[in-house]
Amino acid sequence: MLKIGAILAAKLEEKDLSQKEAAAQLNINPKTFSTYVNDTYFPPLDVLSDICRLLDIDIDHLLGLEKNNNIDLLIQGKDEAKIIYFFRSLNKSDAKLFMKNFNYIVDLFNTKNHNK
């Protein structure tokens, strides 16, 4: 089953929407919506289309229908999704600065773990 829960959770957080609020706007049961966010069940395509519209998600991208590598399908949780969506929102110079600092942090962790 395709895992989309982390993406949904990150978009809900980005839009400051609770699962209950989103379910109400989609006219579906909050418990049902929760099963999609928790990757227990995958929504029917008509519901998925509505969810994507509500959360501004490109359904083609979400389902991997684009030719490009779909990083969203590799996201393992809300924290990873938050970092990826933040990075994608940066302009080119801010992204370069982010990566410079990110590489510094990675080097620190690698040095710390190497010295154990």
Side-chain angles (χ1 to χ4, degrees):
M1 178 175 77
L2 183 63
K3 305 282 186 185
I4 62 168
I7 298 165
L8 299 180
K11 282 295 199 170
L12 286 167
E13 187 173 343
E14 179 182 302
K15 296 201 166 285
D16 198 27
L17 270 177
S18 70
Q19 289 184 28
K20 188 175 182 177
E21 292 167 331
Q25 290 185 38
L26 294 163
N27 294 316
I28 60 175
N29 185 302
K31 289 182 182 181
T32 301
F33 187 76
S34 178
T35 65
Y36 306 149
V37 176
N38 293 319
D39 287 323
T40 307
Y41 292 101
F42 193 85
L45 287 179
D46 60 327
V47 175
L48 180 61
S49 178
D50 292 342
I51 291 170
C52 287
R53 224 179 342 273
L54 175 67
L55 300 178
D56 295 323
I57 299 171
D58 180 345
I59 195 167
D60 291 342
H61 184 71
L62 181 70
L63 296 175
L65 299 176
E66 294 179 345
K67 300 263 185 226
N68 300 329
N69 188 15
N70 188 350
I71 191 73
D72 288 342
L73 298 178
L74 304 176
I75 295 172
Q76 297 295 311
K78 283 174 59 175
D79 291 337
E80 285 182 34
K82 197 175 200 178
I83 291 168
I84 290 168
Y85 286 117
F86 174 76
F87 181 78
R88 288 179 180 172
S89 73
L90 297 174
N91 64 41
K92 195 172 186 173
S93 65
D94 287 343
K96 187 175 180 179
L97 178 61
F98 179 93
M99 286 309 301
K100 180 180 178 183
N101 287 300
F102 174 76
N103 288 328
Y104 175 74
I105 292 168
V106 169
D107 288 344
L108 283 175
F109 274 92
N110 287 337
T111 301
K112 178 184 170 191
N113 289 333
H114 182 63
N115 289 332
K116 282 185 177 183

